[in-house]
Amino acid sequence: GRVNQGVWTYYKGPPFLQRVTLYSGNDVDITHAGNMIRRILGLPKNFGKWEGNTYLNTFDSQQMRFLQDNKHSVLVMPPLAESNVPLLSIAAKAMLHKYISTGHNTVIVTGGPASIDFINQNFLGGNPGGQLLEPAWTRGPYEKQESTIGTPFQTAPVTMPNDLNHVHGARLQSLPQEAVSYYETNGVSVVFSVAMGHGQLLYVGFDYSLMSKPWVKTLIAGMEFAS
């Protein structure tokens, strides 16, 4: 599809995408980390509420049926509560997988141990004998890899901070064969992607419970993968 070009501004969101959708289900803290991500994406509230076409409240919905046919768009998952990871039905998983694989779309999952569980349950767990991600933590900083060359992360910071232990990752050895690690240290990747058809799953391991400019830049750069 045709992509709008322009300058990114915090109140409008990235201009190079046709649509950015933010998951807003009961599993999301919409007052702190989720709200920080909403502001970074430039998504407005609707009369003070997370409502409208830019928010996805549940994957089993008419909205997801429309969303699965999007092109060059991004769906962002804010950090999820550890005890409350959304369980997707078979139909919802199918729509989510179609969204990624057929439309050059990107699903960005932001950090936390529960977020790794979400990926395992809804993206990797369906493959018989498939490898699951192993959640891991290591003290930063996290070093940019050569794999960032030629990607939107090429101009991102050389290292990413741990920021008071708000960064979660996965063990490198547990990443799928088709995965690409962009930031890592001590055998733990905190930013990586997994190709799925024409699109990809992108994990950004910061939990956005506080403002961190390097991690804001990384989230914005990650959205450019779908352009």
Side-chain angles (χ1 to χ4, degrees):
R2 204 165 145 218
V3 182
N4 294 326
Q5 302 296 334
V7 179
W8 183 84
T9 51
Y10 74 92
Y11 57 89
K12 288 183 180 176
F16 40 77
L17 297 173
Q18 295 195 343
R19 180 171 294 177
V20 178
T21 305
L22 181 62
Y23 177 70
S24 60
N26 295 333
D27 332 88
V28 173
D29 175 7
I30 65 172
T31 58
H32 296 98
N35 199 47
M36 177 81 72
I37 290 173
R38 181 191 67 78
R39 290 167 57 200
I40 294 168
L41 302 183
L43 300 180
K45 291 182 182 179
N46 186 13
F47 295 103
K49 295 181 179 181
W50 286 37
E51 294 177 350
N53 291 335
T54 52
Y55 301 101
L56 179 69
N57 185 256
T58 173
F59 288 95
D60 280 294
S61 62
Q62 187 68 31
Q63 186 184 357
M64 189 65 211
R65 290 185 184 91
F66 288 121
L67 195 65
Q68 68 178 330
D69 294 321
N70 271 10
K71 305 280 191 245
H72 299 285
S73 69
V74 172
L75 172 62
V76 180
M77 297 291 297
L80 301 169
E82 196 159 3
S83 59
N84 208 13
V85 179
L87 294 174
L88 272 59
S89 67
I90 293 174
K93 284 184 186 179
M95 288 190 287
L96 185 57
H97 286 222
K98 181 186 176 187
Y99 169 78
I100 294 185
S101 61
T102 63
H104 298 275
N105 297 309
T106 298
V107 172
I108 299 178
V109 178
T110 54
S115 302
I116 293 289
D117 290 343
F118 175 79
I119 294 173
N120 283 338
Q121 289 177 21
N122 299 301
F123 292 100
L124 304 180
N127 305 328
Q131 190 167 347
L132 297 180
L133 298 173
E134 182 183 344
W137 180 91
T138 185
R139 195 180 303 280
Y142 311 101
E143 299 174 1
K144 183 159 75 169
Q145 304 299 300
E146 286 187 10
S147 58
T148 58
I149 295 172
T151 76
F153 291 135
Q154 182 168 331
T155 57
V158 175
T159 62
M160 300 299 292
N162 175 269
D163 271 330
L164 304 175
N165 301 336
H166 287 280
V167 182
H168 303 265
R171 293 207 182 280
L172 277 171
Q173 62 189 27
S174 75
L175 264 58
Q177 192 171 2
E178 65 273 21
V180 178
S181 174
Y182 301 106
Y183 282 90
E184 62 188 61
T185 193
N186 296 331
V188 175
S189 176
V190 295
V191 181
F192 60 85
S193 66
V194 181
M196 295 183 172
H198 294 296
Q200 64 194 317
L201 170 73
L202 180 65
Y203 178 77
V204 178
F206 188 56
D207 69 9
Y208 293 90
S209 57
L210 50 86
M211 175 59 78
S212 171
K213 285 186 177 180
W215 285 104
V216 168
K217 289 179 179 178
T218 302
L219 179 58
I220 294 167
M223 290 190 290
E224 289 192 56
F225 276 90
S227 65

